[in-house]
Amino acid sequence: LKTPLTIVRGHLELLDSDPEEREAALAIVMDELDRMGRIVQDLLLLANHGRPDFLSLERVEVGALTEELFAKAKSLAPVNWTLEARGTGAVMADRQRLTQAVVQLAQNAVRHGNEGGAIALGSDIANSEARIWVRDHGPGIALHEQQAIFERFRRGHLQRTEGAGLGLAIVKAIAESHQGRVEVDSRPGAGATFTVVIPVSGGAEKAARSR
């Protein structure tokens, strides 16, 4: 939060009497305040992800959810989107939280995938687990960085996370709240596949009852 605070303070201290310059300075201030608000909301989400009311569980058809996620992902950027697979079956999950996690992965793929390269999204259910993935053809991630990128405020040198470095930490928190996990399959120069994995057998429901 220190960076946007510094920007806000600097522009407020230099406010000029010229109306056009004041308008430009205030636009920058408002944009930075909005950014601070997003950071605070992300921090609150991470702080609350262990609470019993963090998830609102319902029966979610994985195939239908995948189609919804694909439609939303396509609106992020005009790249070559591909729906690779559509899982068949249902899980007990929080539809909105899962959407938040997968859309975050799609945003990262847009930001870090090769310009004009294809981005794939898909899902399947096998071995009592539901898997939803996003695959890009960007610069990839070195093996020694693949765990660090999920830590709060951490970025690899390829900067796979956005803003304050909370995006992938939020994806991880949402997956773990469902008693699941996030997997990454990548190597430098070969793109990356991020997969949200959650158990089919009511893992999130059992966790909520035990809290």
Side-chain angles (χ1 to χ4, degrees):
L1 295 171
K2 290 173 64 177
T3 299
L5 281 172
T6 300
I7 293 172
V8 169
R9 179 184 295 274
H11 280 81
L12 289 178
E13 288 177 346
L14 296 175
L15 275 180
D16 194 272
S17 58
D18 181 88
E20 290 186 2
E21 291 188 6
R22 287 178 61 87
E23 184 175 350
L26 289 174
I28 292 173
V29 167
M30 293 305 298
D31 188 62
E32 289 302 304
L33 290 175
D34 288 343
R35 186 159 70 97
M36 288 171 63
R38 290 193 297 271
I39 293 172
V40 170
Q41 288 300 316
D42 288 347
L43 289 171
L44 287 171
L45 185 151
L46 290 169
N48 292 330
H49 84 274
R51 291 168 53 100
D53 59 351
F54 179 72
L55 298 179
S56 179
L57 298 176
E58 61 180 307
R59 188 175 186 274
V60 177
E61 292 288 342
V62 173
L65 175 63
T66 305
E67 291 180 351
E68 292 173 11
L69 292 170
F70 184 64
K72 291 176 180 178
K74 287 194 298 183
S75 69
L76 295 174
V79 299
N80 182 18
W81 292 95
T82 302
L83 181 58
E84 284 190 332
R86 182 181 178 277
T88 301
V91 294
M92 288 300 296
D94 187 318
R95 178 185 293 271
Q96 291 188 353
R97 294 296 191 197
L98 283 182
T99 297
Q100 182 179 7
V102 177
V103 168
Q104 176 67 60
L105 294 179
Q107 288 175 329
N108 284 1
V110 168
R111 187 172 295 107
H112 303 291
N114 284 337
E115 186 174 348
I119 300 175
L121 189 149
S123 67
D124 67 11
I125 296 181
N127 301 319
S128 300
E129 291 182 329
R131 306 171 66 86
I132 306 174
W133 65 84
V134 176
R135 177 177 296 114
D136 67 51
H137 296 278
I141 310 164
L143 182 62
H144 69 274
E145 292 187 325
Q146 290 181 12
Q147 294 305 311
I149 58 175
F150 291 100
E151 298 175 10
R152 302 177 190 188
F153 306 111
R154 282 292 299 271
R155 298 184 181 198
H157 77 279
L158 296 176
Q159 295 190 350
R160 306 267 333 168
T161 51
E162 67 166 337
L166 293 171
L168 289 177
I170 289 173
V171 174
K172 180 182 178 184
I174 290 172
E176 291 180 347
S177 294
H178 285 85
Q179 298 301 292
R181 63 190 183 278
V182 184
E183 297 177 349
V184 56
D185 180 14
S186 180
R187 64 182 187 274
T193 301
F194 285 84
T195 306
V196 175
V197 185
I198 63 172
V200 171
S201 56
E205 196 171 21
K206 293 174 185 176
R209 287 199 299 265
S210 67
R211 287 171 183 157

